Amino acid sequence: MKKEENITNEFFTDWKYAPAPESTDHIKLKKQYDLFINGKFVKPNSKKYFATINPATEEKLAEVAEANEKDVDLAVTSAKNAYDKVWKKMPVKERSKYIFRIARLMQERAREFAVIESMNGGKSIRESRDADIPLAANHFFYYAGWADKLDYAFPNKKPQSLGVAAQIIPWNFPLLMAAWKIAPALATGNTVVLKPAETTPLTALKLAELIRDSGLPDGVVNIITGFGKTGAAMVNHPKVNKVAFTGSTDVGKLIQKSIAGTNKKVTLELGGKAANIIFDDAPIDQAVEGIVNGIFFNQGHVCCAGSRLFVQENVADIVISKLKQRLETLIVGDPLDKNTDIGAINSKEQLNKINEYIKIGVDEGAEMYQSKCAIPSKGFFCRPTLFLHTSQSHRIVQEEIFGPVLAIQTFRTIEEVIEKANNIPYGLSAGVWTDKGSKIFNLTSKLRAGVVWANTYNKFDPASPFGGYKESGFGREGGLHGLMPYLSF
Ligand code: NAP
Ligand code: MG
């Protein structure tokens, strides 16, 4: 038995996969992208463009326009006109046909979207191909189904659309976040101005092309690119009725301040620092896989990442030893290789931030363990990293790192782990691993987190609402709940 175990371990650590790169031949990127306003690509008033790169190679992929206040005004005005003259008046059945068409076109072009997502964002092709793009298309399908049934969704409440929605999204799930924003807004009869993050504009611009091809009436969806200033101009525009923001807690707070005293509706999906809790009766191998899935895939660029691990003390040794073994088998590298587990960090700025936190963890006295894997010399990459013997007061336990860094603590009792898991400014998500259903129900009612996964992690479905407590924001996206922030009653 012992011998067999050794053979298995050697087999895994010595195994080398042949390169399996996804082809990029069919990808057509323009040299320069303009702003998508009123159904057309138009030159920015700013006359400025900025480069967008591939974080795995540091090569420039394209230039995209920087929208200034004048451009924001044109986009919002176009959305307002489309709302008043077309979209608000359109029979709900017709609206839903357009949303279905967007979903179908996205499915048809799924491979192209997946490759561009990985090229521009750094995430592994496996992730963009199997998660991001299908989930984005499913989101449009799901909300297309609601568009003509709002009276059934909210009986006797007479739901009304709001008007123009300004939607601002981050770089970790570029197309998926665009879908989370646009699909419910359209289904509820609103029109949209969306801004992707500065580092990942390309799939949003491809989506603009798709929307143009879908025949959606001009101005119903406008997509503009730029930096934080562009986002701020959108939030502050007087013709905007609704602000939907996903991003950092700091920017979320700024947005809330700047709309105070207006009657703009707002939803904020902000940061997280999820607890992944492993009890001694958990299926250990599955739990280890769940830990890896929770924090290392997608480079830890996940707001709901299981970045704090709590292991019951009597199984801590075995869980940590298996986790270390599993870490050594993770492949870090070319996002376009189908065998890659961990792709590139999204930007140099983010890599510096992660490295700073790794240094903080070491300085705070936690014990660091990093995979010994090779990483490419060019591009932005980070080895999967564990911190053992951390405590609640450590900054690496309290603050969102947004990288492949896991802070591990042990616990003895349920009361202790609930107290520790909740003792944090965030409350977006959590995970529980145990054989006992009663423990799961006990914990889910006491953990202050919007989503709690049991014996799994990072599972998404358009029918399931997602959103946070405390500094993780408010409002829900997905499901029936996701319609409400776009309606008045
Ligand atoms: P970020 O810096 O807050 O940026 C998010 C978006 O806001 C970007 O499009 C950004 O533009 C824009 N922005 C920046 N300053 C702004 C301002 N003053 N007014 C209006 N818009 C402004 O966040 P990030 O670094 O891109 O993303 C990572 C964060 O997002 C993490 O904290 C993560 O937890 C959170 N996140 C949360 C969820 C969720 O559902 N709760 C999902 C994904 C990510 P630029 O890119 O040009 O700066
Ligand atoms: Mg930013």
Side-chain angles (χ1 to χ4, degrees):
M1 185 65 201
K2 228 184 164 127
K3 208 170 164 204
E4 254 176 42
E5 268 174 16
N6 282 340
I7 290 170
T8 320
N9 289 343
E10 275 169 27
F11 176 77
F12 276 118
T13 42
D14 291 347
W15 180 262
K16 294 266 183 309
Y17 288 89
E22 175 72 39
S23 162
T24 55
D25 296 350
H26 58 302
I27 301 305
K28 289 188 194 72
L29 288 175
K30 290 192 279 190
K31 279 214 162 79
Q32 202 174 66
Y33 284 90
D34 291 320
L35 305 169
F36 184 65
I37 297 176
N38 207 26
K40 285 163 220 56
F41 282 94
V42 297
K43 301 249 166 268
N45 276 286
S46 70
K47 298 197 168 59
K48 285 192 202 153
Y49 291 83
F50 60 97
T52 187
I53 64 159
N54 179 338
T57 61
E58 299 176 52
E59 278 159 13
K60 182 164 124 180
L61 293 170
E63 286 194 341
V64 297
E66 181 184 334
N68 66 12
E69 269 185 42
K70 181 91 202 297
D71 297 305
V72 169
D73 181 53
L74 285 175
V76 173
T77 305
S78 134
K80 176 86 176 99
N81 286 339
Y83 177 73
D84 289 334
K85 295 184 185 141
V86 186
W87 199 241
K88 186 170 66 170
K89 295 184 188 158
M90 187 182 282
V92 285
K93 272 215 171 74
E94 293 304 310
R95 270 191 218 147
S96 88
K97 284 185 200 165
Y98 284 108
I99 310 172
F100 272 122
R101 197 176 301 161
I102 294 171
R104 282 198 305 272
L105 284 171
M106 195 176 279
Q107 259 183 342
E108 275 171 32
R109 300 185 196 171
R111 189 52 64 97
E112 184 189 358
F113 273 104
V115 174
I116 297 173
E117 201 71 300
S118 286
M119 285 168 77
N120 199 198
K123 63 172 61 195
S124 71
I125 186 71
R126 207 173 59 202
E127 177 104 11
S128 48
R129 181 197 62 197
D130 297 348
D132 293 57
I133 313 303
L135 277 169
N138 283 347
H139 225 76
F140 279 102
F141 275 121
Y142 176 79
Y143 280 110
W146 273 125
D148 59 352
K149 302 177 195 71
L150 296 178
D151 288 335
Y152 298 96
F154 307 105
N156 304 320
K157 289 205 168 152
K158 296 202 169 30
Q160 303 291 318
S161 55
L162 302 173
V164 177
Q167 308 187 316
I168 300 165
I169 55 174
W171 43 259
N172 58 342
F173 290 91
L175 188 72
L176 183 60
M177 288 300 116
W180 278 26
K181 296 278 178 288
I182 296 173
L186 295 186
T188 45
N190 299 281
T191 57
V192 165
V193 179
L194 175 114
K195 185 193 95 65
E198 64 193 70
T199 55
T200 52
L202 292 182
T203 46
L205 290 161
K206 278 275 154 190
L207 176 63
E209 291 177 0
L210 182 155
I211 285 173
R212 183 195 55 195
D213 299 347
S214 77
L216 186 77
D218 292 347
V220 173
V221 172
N222 304 272
I223 297 182
I224 59 176
T225 44
F227 302 95
K229 252 167 73 183
T230 313
M234 288 164 62
V235 169
N236 292 321
H237 196 290
K239 285 191 204 139
V240 162
N241 306 92
K242 151 86 193 173
V243 176
F245 172 79
T246 297
S248 59
T249 297
D250 288 346
V251 175
K253 285 180 181 171
L254 278 177
I255 289 178
Q256 209 178 2
K257 267 188 210 144
S258 68
I259 62 161
T262 71
N263 59 2
K264 289 174 190 171
K265 252 190 145 173
V266 66
T267 32
L268 302 174
E269 303 282 357
L270 310 175
K273 190 80 184 176
N276 205 359
I277 303 168
I278 320 289
F279 285 98
D280 59 3
D281 59 356
I284 299 293
D285 290 331
Q286 278 105 309
V288 168
E289 224 28 56
I291 298 165
V292 168
N293 177 31
I295 180 71
F296 296 126
F297 292 158
N298 201 23
Q299 304 74 247
H301 293 343
V302 186
C303 48
C304 51
S307 50
R308 290 181 297 153
L309 176 65
F310 292 95
V311 193
Q312 202 154 19
E313 204 174 78
N314 50 336
V315 289
D317 287 347
I318 177 88
V319 169
I320 289 163
S321 118
K322 279 179 183 263
L323 189 57
K324 285 179 175 173
Q325 276 183 38
R326 182 69 177 95
L327 225 59
E328 296 301 335
T329 68
L330 292 174
I331 301 171
V332 182
D334 180 6
L336 287 175
D337 192 305
K338 290 163 197 136
N339 294 321
T340 294
D341 295 304
I342 303 180
I345 300 299
N346 182 260
S347 64
K348 179 135 206 218
E349 193 189 0
Q350 186 60 24
L351 179 60
N352 291 343
K353 182 182 158 191
I354 297 167
N355 284 334
E356 220 168 274
Y357 270 108
I358 291 177
K359 187 171 175 302
I360 290 169
V362 172
D363 292 347
E364 283 176 326
E367 181 189 320
M368 186 183 74
Y369 179 88
Q370 263 186 333
S371 151
K372 292 181 271 301
C373 65
I375 54 173
S377 54
K378 222 169 177 222
F380 316 132
F381 291 91
C382 180
R383 291 190 174 83
T385 305
L386 308 177
F387 275 106
L388 305 161
H389 310 299
T390 63
S391 70
Q392 283 293 107
S393 59
H394 284 166
R395 283 184 63 194
I396 53 165
V397 169
Q398 289 291 323
E399 296 172 22
E400 186 183 47
I401 301 172
F402 229 56
V405 181
L406 178 64
I408 306 177
Q409 297 185 66
T410 58
F411 69 94
R412 288 186 185 171
T413 65
I414 291 202
E415 293 70 31
E416 178 192 353
V417 78
I418 292 171
E419 176 76 30
K420 283 181 169 169
N422 285 338
N423 187 4
I424 190 117
Y426 296 110
L428 192 57
S429 61
V432 183
W433 298 80
T434 167
D435 195 32
K436 299 271 182 308
S438 56
K439 246 188 236 171
I440 292 171
F441 287 120
N442 180 22
L443 272 162
T444 44
S445 61
K446 291 184 183 138
L447 288 173
R448 298 280 294 157
V451 179
V452 183
W453 285 290
N455 295 325
T456 186
Y457 208 90
N458 273 346
K459 282 274 182 293
F460 287 93
D461 189 280
S464 168
F466 182 87
Y469 279 93
K470 301 191 278 188
E471 290 200 12
S472 293
F474 49 80
R476 295 291 178 263
E477 293 187 298
L480 192 66
H481 298 71
L483 294 165
M484 288 185 219
Y486 290 96
L487 291 167
S488 65
F489 298 98

